[in-house]
Amino acid sequence: QVQLVESGGGLVQPGGSLRLSCAASGFTFSSYAMSWYRQAPGKERELVARITSAGGITSYADSVKGRFTISRDNAENTAYLQMNSLKPGDTAVYYCKATKLDRSRVIAYWGQGTQVTVSS
């Protein structure tokens, strides 16, 4: 059974830090690119960060560049999102996503999400 389980969310003050984890099981984790998305109330889900299957290339939304870092540990089947200098605008449900191409078809798995609230 495929599972992606996020953890590490919570309430943090502006300027604080959180590290989100995404534990994967039920598929070959090292064959999949990993992404973090977020969705705030009343807004569309947006891509926050992405990392290739071997961890060699990363990309970030402009809004988080320089503050967030995506990483992965393929030996532990886990992806991470280190979030520093958090702002109230970062408040959202954060989701991890595993993605690969199979003959030009997208195979994607989603986690259930974890709430991040940045407030004083």
Side-chain angles (χ1 to χ4, degrees), residues 3-53:
Q3 283 193 299
L4 292 172
V5 181
E6 299 97 332
S7 62
L11 175 64
V12 65
Q13 294 184 355
S17 298
L18 285 173
R19 188 183 74 159
L20 305 183
S21 298
C22 176
S25 60
F27 65 100
T28 305
F29 179 78
S30 61
S31 296
Y32 286 72
M34 295 297 297
S35 301
W36 287 94
Y37 288 75
R38 68 186 182 187
Q39 188 165 26
K43 297 185 178 180
E44 294 184 355
R45 187 171 298 186
E46 66 171 332
L47 176 64
V48 175
R50 177 177 288 157
I51 187 168
T52 53
S53 59

Side-chain angles (χ1 to χ4, degrees), residues 8-14 16-18 20 83 86 91 114-120:
L11 175 64
V12 65
Q13 294 184 355
S17 298
L18 285 173
L20 305 183
M83 305 185 295
L86 284 161
T91 296
T114 186
Q115 176 71 48
V116 172
T117 302
V118 185
S119 176
S120 59

Side-chain angles (χ1 to χ4, degrees), residues 60-115:
Y60 300 90
D62 287 343
S63 59
V64 308
K65 198 169 299 181
R67 300 188 297 121
F68 290 11
T69 303
I70 188 171
S71 61
R72 66 191 297 158
D73 186 340
N74 284 348
E76 297 294 330
N77 291 344
T78 303
Y80 303 94
L81 185 67
Q82 178 66 45
M83 305 185 295
N84 299 326
S85 301
L86 284 161
K87 305 174 180 179
D90 297 319
T91 296
V93 177
Y94 284 71
Y95 301 88
C96 69
K97 179 186 179 183
T99 309
K100 77 168 183 179
L101 292 179
D102 180 13
R103 301 183 185 276
S104 298
R105 295 180 181 177
V106 176
I107 301 174
Y109 304 121
W110 289 86
Q112 83 289 348
T114 186
Q115 176 71 48

